[in-house]
Amino acid sequence: MKINAVDINGRIKEYDAILTYYSEEYNKHYVVYTDNEYNESDELIIHISSYNFTSPETIVKNIEDKEEYTKIKTEINKILLTIKNESDKLD
């Protein structure tokens, strides 16, 4: 799935969605996405944003609250680690 988001330069850019996540605690939907760029450690750079699930136009929003961002990032990291571990079992 492709999504559009505003990059750090204020331009709309196309990204690949990795997964979506719903938090009952915050009653929000989140999307994890990437432009398939890697950092100096050769790790895929990913972004996490909230979005309005019911909107016909998916517009992602930055997570402004640090506590919310930290909790969501922790939950998503757990999910990604589980996916990686399950994938490793298939190899």
Side-chain angles (χ1 to χ4, degrees):
M1 175 170 98
K2 300 282 187 185
I3 64 164
N4 291 318
V6 178
D7 68 12
I8 58 172
N9 299 317
R11 293 176 293 194
I12 294 180
K13 185 173 179 180
E14 187 175 80
Y15 294 87
D16 291 318
I18 297 171
L19 68 89
T20 59
Y21 175 77
Y22 175 75
S23 168
E24 290 183 6
E25 180 178 354
Y26 293 103
N27 192 30
K28 288 185 185 176
H29 292 268
Y30 300 89
V31 61
V32 180
Y33 56 98
T34 183
D35 59 0
N36 296 303
E37 291 185 11
Y38 290 80
N39 63 19
E40 314 78 46
S41 302
D42 205 31
E43 299 168 323
L44 183 65
I45 299 170
I46 64 171
H47 309 278
I48 304 169
S49 296
S50 65
Y51 71 101
N52 184 346
F53 179 72
T54 60
S55 172
E57 226 179 74
T58 302
I59 299 173
V60 297
K61 298 177 187 166
N62 288 335
I63 304 169
E64 302 292 333
D65 182 273
K66 282 189 125 177
E67 182 180 330
E68 175 186 359
Y69 180 80
T70 300
K71 283 184 177 182
I72 297 304
K73 181 179 173 185
T74 299
E75 288 301 312
I76 288 174
N77 279 335
K78 287 179 190 176
I79 293 167
L80 292 173
L81 184 59
T82 300
I83 291 169
K84 181 190 178 314
N85 289 339
E86 290 301 314
S87 175
D88 288 347
K89 289 179 186 177
L90 297 174
D91 290 339

